Amino acid sequence: MELLKIEGLSKTIKKKKILNNISLTVNSGEIVGFLGPNGAGKTTTIKLILGLFKITEGKITICGHDVATDFENAMKYVGGIVENPDLYKRLTGRQNLEYFASMYPDVDKSHIDEIVRMVKMSERINDRVKTYSLGMCQRIGIAQALLHRPQLLVLDEPTNGLDPIGIKELRDLLKYLAKEAGVGVFVSSHILSEMELMCDRIYIIDNGEIIGEKNINQTEDSEDAPIYQYVFVTDNNEMTYEYMKSLDINCELKNDGVEIVMKSSEIPNIVKTLVNNNIGIYAVNQKRRSLEQDFISITTGSKTQIR
Ligand SMILES: Nc1ncnc2c1ncn2[C@@H]1O[C@H](COP(=O)(O)OP(=O)(O)OP(=O)(O)O)[C@@H](O)[C@H]1O
Ligand SMILES: [Mg+2]
């Protein structure tokens, strides 16, 4: 089910176009990344989703409710944090959550306890927020966003200030929410490796425009089967190289072997052909094309050679 739908969204501030024709969707049970460098427009988009900014052009719907024309209903289904969570520093974590809970009907104490446990803040929840680390504030922020049991969770750079263990815990929490509770998660970041581990799908934003979309865990035999880099290590790399070239395979002769970029499904045939031509194969090493390579090639505007 489509929880978030953004269609042709543009935002202009003081005649400057900050966002240009953004379209994207987030489905139930899915963790969708929003990846882009500083100033790309991530926070602006998230503010528009949460109704904190006025839309210049286009449409945002949350569970079918238009954020511009049906604001209150739309907000019932979304929880989020923008940049750093806004907390009352002199109050305890629990007092903060109780205060925010009072704005919603049906958020009782046991529900607050459950969420506090979920974000792993039970031990420190009765301490004042001013004694918290940045990571602890992030956790309270996420707890606050979850109070009214939203179906869509929108988080702006939630890993900011988290240590590696905190990042892993956040990842586990988001996966739990998505896979067990069917929550849709839209999460921004400028860190590629983090997104790759956390998300099912990512959109790449640069300069206010979506410049790419990527599935992270593609299955081997899907329509767009993953393309990998392989290094063939053989008893005659030069001959292997010449042979691959004669087959019109895009290849390079490296010190450690012959590097090719190929769909995984093509590899058995290539191996068979080499063996039939009396080439001894020591190894076929697979390297995963990283998101980083994609990101750089997309943001610098040059298409990757394998697309
Ligand atoms: N209120 C505003 N007035 C004028 N320009 C703004 C305003 N808010 C944002 N911008 C501009 O919009 C662009 C996008 O900013 P935004 O904060 O959305 O980027 P971001 O992707 O969240 O970046 P970061 O990774 O640094 O958080 C920037 O060029 C920024 O300067
Ligand atoms: Mg931002």
Side-chain angles (χ1 to χ4, degrees):
M1 188 182 127
E2 228 165 52
L3 300 180
L4 173 68
K5 188 176 175 85
I6 300 184
E7 294 162 281
L9 181 70
S10 296
K11 175 71 184 170
T12 306
I13 301 178
K14 292 183 188 137
K15 293 192 182 157
K16 188 178 159 214
K17 202 150 205 184
I18 309 279
L19 297 178
N20 185 21
N21 198 22
I22 301 255
S23 294
L24 56 85
T25 55
V26 177
N27 298 307
S28 170
E30 199 182 27
I31 304 176
V32 176
F34 198 35
L35 179 66
N38 292 138
K42 303 182 295 294
T43 299
T44 305
T45 306
I46 287 176
K47 281 184 177 167
L48 290 165
I49 296 170
L50 296 172
L52 301 170
F53 255 175
K54 206 167 163 290
I55 293 168
T56 307
E57 228 178 288
K59 189 170 163 182
I60 301 176
T61 45
I62 297 170
C63 296
H65 300 280
D66 189 319
V67 170
T69 61
D70 193 7
F71 179 73
E72 281 189 16
N73 278 319
M75 290 306 117
K76 278 184 197 163
Y77 298 96
V78 60
I81 44 172
V82 181
E83 287 168 342
N84 293 320
D86 228 352
L87 302 171
Y88 295 95
K89 298 253 183 295
R90 277 133 67 94
L91 300 182
T92 66
R94 180 183 296 280
Q95 284 168 333
N96 268 277
L97 293 179
E98 282 169 352
Y99 170 72
F100 291 114
S102 70
M103 296 188 230
Y104 302 109
D106 327 316
V107 182
D108 57 17
K109 192 180 164 303
S110 69
H111 184 59
I112 296 179
D113 287 339
E114 189 191 326
I115 288 176
V116 169
R117 263 198 308 278
M118 226 186 245
V119 299
K120 301 213 160 91
M121 277 296 288
S122 300
E123 267 176 43
R124 295 290 304 271
I125 198 67
N126 293 316
D127 294 347
R128 285 174 197 247
V129 167
K130 69 177 179 196
T131 70
Y132 286 177
S133 67
L134 185 54
M136 293 176 190
C137 289
Q138 291 286 22
R139 289 168 201 229
I140 297 295
I142 293 167
Q144 178 198 321
L146 288 171
L147 281 175
H148 61 300
R149 304 174 179 88
Q151 295 200 34
L152 175 70
L153 189 59
V154 178
L155 304 172
D156 192 18
E157 310 231 21
T159 55
N160 244 350
L162 295 185
D163 60 22
I165 294 170
I167 292 174
K168 168 149 195 332
E169 284 175 356
L170 174 71
R171 192 161 69 223
D172 292 345
L173 171 65
L174 296 185
K175 284 190 175 163
Y176 168 82
L177 289 168
K179 308 307 164 204
E180 304 299 323
V183 170
V185 181
F186 187 57
V187 52
S188 80
S189 170
H190 58 274
I191 302 167
L192 314 161
S193 51
E194 245 173 55
M195 292 273 95
E196 225 173 359
L197 287 173
M198 196 180 278
C199 302
D200 302 308
R201 198 153 61 81
I202 61 157
Y203 290 98
I204 301 172
I205 179 172
D206 191 33
N207 239 325
E209 294 189 17
I210 301 281
I211 55 166
E213 184 190 343
K214 227 153 165 55
N215 284 324
I216 302 297
N217 296 314
Q218 291 165 331
T219 51
E220 294 291 320
D221 50 13
S222 70
E223 193 43 21
D224 44 359
I227 295 165
Y228 295 101
Q229 220 171 20
Y230 293 89
V231 181
F232 279 71
V233 186
T234 67
D235 60 3
N236 192 336
N237 288 336
E238 258 131 57
M239 207 164 113
T240 305
Y241 174 70
E242 291 304 327
Y243 200 74
M244 297 241 190
K245 273 209 313 199
S246 75
L247 293 173
D248 272 341
I249 293 171
N250 192 355
C251 57
E252 253 181 275
L253 184 58
K254 294 276 172 81
N255 280 341
D256 57 343
V258 181
E259 206 173 271
I260 69 168
V261 178
M262 191 51 61
K263 274 190 181 177
S264 50
S265 52
E266 302 287 335
I267 297 302
N269 275 333
I270 297 176
V271 170
K272 212 182 279 172
T273 319
L274 290 176
V275 170
N276 286 342
N277 280 277
N278 287 324
I279 292 172
I281 298 173
Y282 293 120
V284 182
N285 297 321
Q286 185 192 68
K287 293 182 183 172
R288 179 145 195 197
R289 266 169 56 80
S290 74
L291 197 55
E292 192 143 16
Q293 287 170 317
D294 285 341
F295 184 70
I296 290 166
S297 62
I298 294 169
T299 52
T300 54
S302 61
K303 286 267 180 229
T304 52
Q305 56 181 24
I306 55 159
R307 253 171 231 243

